[in-house]
Amino acid sequence: MTYRAPVDELRFTLVEVAAVDVLKATGAFPDFTDDITLAILEEAAKLANDVLAPLNKTGDAEHCKLDNGVVTTPTGFRQAYAKFVEGGWQGLQFPTKVGGMGLPRALGVATLEMVQSANMAFGLGPMLTYGAIEVLLVHGTDEQRAAYLPKLLNGEWSATMNLTEPQAGSDVGALRTKAEPNGDGSWAVSGQKIFITWGEHDCADNILHLVLARTPGSPAGTKGLSLFIVPKILDDGSRNGVQAIGLEHKLGIHGSPTCTMEYSGAKGWLIGAENAGMKAMFTMMNSARLNVGVQGVGIAERAYQQALAFAKDRKQGKAIDGKGPGPHPIIQHPDIQRSLAMMKSKIAASRAICMACAVAADLSEYAEDEDERAAAKRREELLTPIAKAWSTDIGVEVASMGIQIHGGMGYIEETGAAQHLRDARITPIYEGTNAIQAMDLAGRKLNMQGGAAFTELYADIELTIEACSTSSHPDLPLLGERLEEGLDSLREAATWMSEADPADVLAGATPFLTLAGEVIGGWMLCIGAVAARRRQKDKLGDPVFAAQRIALAGFYCEAVLTLAHARVDDITMGVEMISDVGFGVD
Ligand SMILES: Cc1cc2nc3c(=O)[nH]c(=O)nc-3n(C[C@H](O)[C@H](O)[C@H](O)COP(=O)(O)OP(=O)(O)OC[C@H]3O[C@@H](n4cnc5c(N)ncnc54)[C@H](O)[C@@H]3O)c2cc1C
């Protein structure tokens, strides 16, 4: 099944739900106009539909190959990367003064979603490069920016992120890779990194590895980590002391080379101050966390499209309202429609969360008013773990539902439905597992600045409840009621979490993040419903689309928000009820 980028849906979410147009007032994006938005979305759709999507299955079947330190990507990936570079896609959301297109991050999120839907294994390469560009913009010296940014922004070079070692996964502070001063301003980096995405490949001319390492005498844990830039090929054209010595055999994303990297005195240069590596790495991780969330949305969209097409084609049984003797297409069965509605509504909700997070990130940098920038930063920080974890959980859930809709054929590789689930399964794991995201939300974001991020969120959700309750549309007041019930549950859980013992907080963190995702997702869909109602009244756009957006929000409110209260009991059960189950540990 081929993929068709949902341009109308992306545009509606960008403009009506994530309110990307607020960025126009900042003056930071002079080229950001409605026409440009449409042109960018349509061009990215062509790349995704026509170039990347047809290679998705090839990448899965062929895998990457490693031979004597050289990695060969699957057939067509090199040519696709050349097309990606030709279109200037790598630089879309970065400032023009450094060679980017100077467009908002949310537009970057929309184009990234199309790339990830079309071919997640391919999309990982450029995604890692985005993060490195962010790090250099914020923490690099003028010389480093001048030396590296143009080539990263035009895609001639790519970049990687090197944290993980066998003994240091979630606990990054346990890493042992060393960096010794060479005496000329450069450092000799030695150690082994595992699971490095696009660590070696044949698509770009050079690869810049961003590597976390310890300098001599540095403090233990994360406080003693420094970040280095280690190019694969040095300025004089010689090979640096870094190479791929292994390639992982994985459940999915076979077209993405996941490498074991050996650093043997490789020449590197500090980015930022010594022992301030985590600060710099967090810049990269925040961008990467949002982008991994976008992968969740992208893979879910692809799985949904495939399931929808299958459901229209496959005939089984007699539908309750079917015409003639049957068999009828399975899409006529109410249970299949329920699954499709669940998939579609959760995709729309998670997409909106990712875009809203991107708009907040831009506002936090470019809003004119200092208070507005600070509030936007809080919103970005609150939404980032939710965008990452909730959207990737949805990616897995929707991909699994896609298989279910296919019946037995979903379990057979031939249809491609299984690949979506295999590909999606990594997203809740890498870039900080979803458990780590939940701990970040419950342990840090909930109480930061006296709980301001949550208080501001509640106030904004209340505005939407009010808009629904006072709407002239007969269905919207019920949406407002459901959203209010969801908000009450979120408040209750958050109040309990902010006062509970740390062990109880950790025990409830994952369902707390799920509840936050579900309520914020519901809020986003209600914003969409209010906007759709406005369009109906003003006779703007496609009336069928507007009616369906209202119905989508209505379905979600009944099917998902009504469960919010039950989540509170799960969140607040406390650690003892869990540990009493007994696992043979003291
Ligand atoms: C395909 C792939 C690509 C990757 N790409 C990169 C890359 O480009 N660069 C890079 O540096 N790394 C990369 N990684 C590594 C990835 O980020 C780690 O696998 C991930 O952070 C988890 O670490 P771990 O595998 O060591 O699991 P562990 O840290 O051992 O975790 C195991 C389990 O314990 C849980 N856990 C751990 N600590 C805690 C805690 N304190 N509280 C509660 N639960 C906890 C985790 O949630 C998880 O469920 C990649 C991994 C894969 C598989």
Side-chain angles (χ1 to χ4, degrees), residues 161-164 169-170 195-197 250 253 258 426 429-431 433 435-436 439:
M161 175 164 126
N162 293 240
L163 289 83
T164 308
S170 301
F195 298 162
I196 303 309
T197 297
K250 310 185 294 283
I253 51 166
T258 308
I426 183 58
I429 296 173
Y430 58 23
E431 213 35 71
T433 64
I436 299 292
M439 285 158 56

Side-chain angles (χ1 to χ4, degrees), residues 286 357 360-361 364 374-387 437 440-441 444-446 448-449 453-454:
N286 275 340
C357 184
S364 76
K377 189 71 198 163
R378 285 192 290 275
R379 180 61 54 87
E380 179 203 357
E381 294 205 351
L382 180 140
L383 289 182
T384 298
I386 299 169
Q437 307 302 320
D440 178 41
L441 182 72
R444 210 169 75 75
K445 307 295 172 60
L446 177 60
M448 76 182 174
Q449 299 176 37
F454 272 74

Side-chain angles (χ1 to χ4, degrees), residues 152-166:
L152 290 178
L153 282 158
N154 71 15
E156 242 178 90
W157 294 4
S158 71
T160 68
M161 175 164 126
N162 293 240
L163 289 83
T164 308
E165 297 177 12

Side-chain angles (χ1 to χ4, degrees), residues 6-21 32 37 41 106-107 109-110 113 297 301 344-359 521 524-525 527-529 531-532 535 545 549 552:
V7 172
D8 290 344
E9 193 64 50
L10 287 164
R11 203 162 157 222
F12 179 84
T13 310
L14 268 174
V15 176
E16 299 288 9
V17 185
V20 72
D21 285 350
F32 172 47
T37 301
L41 292 179
L107 202 47
V109 161
E113 183 198 308
V297 181
E301 172 67 34
K344 189 175 177 180
S345 63
K346 287 194 170 174
I347 293 166
S350 56
R351 173 182 289 132
I353 290 178
C354 290
M355 285 185 181
C357 184
V359 170
M524 298 280 158
L525 289 179
I527 295 174
R535 284 183 168 203
F545 182 86
R549 282 299 305 207
L552 192 70

